[in-house]
Amino acid sequence: MAKKKKAKLKIVYNAPVTLTFSLAAVLLLVLNQFALRGLIDTFFTVPGKIGSEMAFNWSNPLDYVRLFTHVLGHGDWNHLLGNLSFILLLGPLLEERYGSPMLVLMMSITALVTGVVNVCFFDRPMVGASGIAFMMILLSSFTAISKHQIPLTFLLVFVLYVGRELVSSFLDENVSYVAHIAGGLCGSLFGFLTAHSPKNSRKAAASKEQASQEKAPSEKASPAKTPTAKAAPESAAVKKSGATKALSKKAPKKASKDDDFDIYEQEATILFGEDDL
């Protein structure tokens, strides 16, 4: 007997957006600390409001780019690992649910919103993906939502996380807690807007594909039955045609006997006459 081959375990790049974002953030911090000093401050830090020490320059195109890129930069490893612990945990689940393009859109909008909030209201420059992490935390609470319903999980997560950030914003001025709150509000908005659009879900697409695969065998099997149904009438017709041919073959034999009898009768009339018969 042939030995069964054992299935080999493979490492799968299961969440392209989440993993690419995380690897890029790690690579940037490594380059900033060991190779390119000042890389994060130059390209991956959103400025503060006008009048601050590092104010947003409306005429500088790079400042508009930094409204999006600031989510990739981090101040140190504790800051990075704190954000990645949520992003790597929740990102793949959200990417599977909503799809990679939708997650990219959500992350881009969140980055823009948190960047604009910092430019409009705060003096300090901001860096980090905390807004992205809080967006994912609030969005993940929308596991199963139907029309005219609000999940209790969302309410609990909103009160716990957003409430904590509001209290912390008055105690520690070195952290942009308002950016965290803005990210959480973005996640809440995304959850309500995409709650009734299953087209954005990979699971919905997978279920449709599975349903189509289940229908395919039944559709292929049904035509196979029709030839047998048609074959029965055809066989009956063949039998009938065969019977008629057999009858047609036997008919000449009867006709030949009648002809012989007529010949005998004519000969008898000639020999004995009609009166004797």
Side-chain angles (χ1 to χ4, degrees), residues 95-175:
E95 192 167 351
E96 183 181 1
R97 177 178 174 83
Y98 296 99
S100 297
M102 180 60 67
L103 186 61
V104 170
L105 180 61
M106 291 177 178
M107 294 173 69
S108 300
I109 294 175
T110 303
L112 178 61
V113 169
T114 55
V116 170
V117 167
N118 192 80
V119 168
C120 293
F121 300 104
F122 296 96
D123 297 329
R124 301 182 308 276
M126 183 182 69
V127 65
S130 300
I132 301 291
F134 272 81
M135 180 270 291
M136 291 184 175
I137 291 172
L138 269 296
L139 183 59
S140 63
S141 62
F142 288 83
T143 52
I145 181 174
S146 58
K147 199 172 182 181
H148 306 301
Q149 292 183 357
I150 300 177
L152 180 59
T153 53
F154 163 72
L155 295 177
L156 293 175
V157 170
F158 187 88
V159 170
L160 291 175
Y161 281 91
V162 177
R164 186 190 66 176
E165 297 303 310
L166 284 173
V167 174
S168 300
S169 63
F170 296 101
L171 302 176
D172 189 359
E173 296 182 355
N174 294 323
V175 180

Side-chain angles (χ1 to χ4, degrees), residues 232-246:
E234 289 178 359
S235 60
V238 171
K239 289 181 180 180
K240 288 182 180 179
S241 61
T244 52
K245 288 181 181 179

Side-chain angles (χ1 to χ4, degrees), residues 43-115:
F43 297 100
F44 301 94
T45 301
V46 65
K49 68 180 181 180
I50 297 176
S52 61
E53 184 178 354
M54 188 179 175
F56 185 86
N57 187 358
W58 299 95
S59 61
N60 185 8
L62 182 59
D63 282 358
Y64 293 95
V65 176
R66 287 190 278 190
L67 290 174
F68 295 94
T69 60
H70 71 277
V71 295
L72 290 171
H74 290 82
D76 52 34
W77 287 103
N78 289 331
H79 187 200
L80 176 63
L81 295 176
N83 288 332
L84 290 187
S85 61
F86 289 104
I87 293 173
L88 289 175
L89 179 64
L90 302 175
L93 302 177
L94 296 174
E95 192 167 351
E96 183 181 1
R97 177 178 174 83
Y98 296 99
S100 297
M102 180 60 67
L103 186 61
V104 170
L105 180 61
M106 291 177 178
M107 294 173 69
S108 300
I109 294 175
T110 303
L112 178 61
V113 169
T114 55

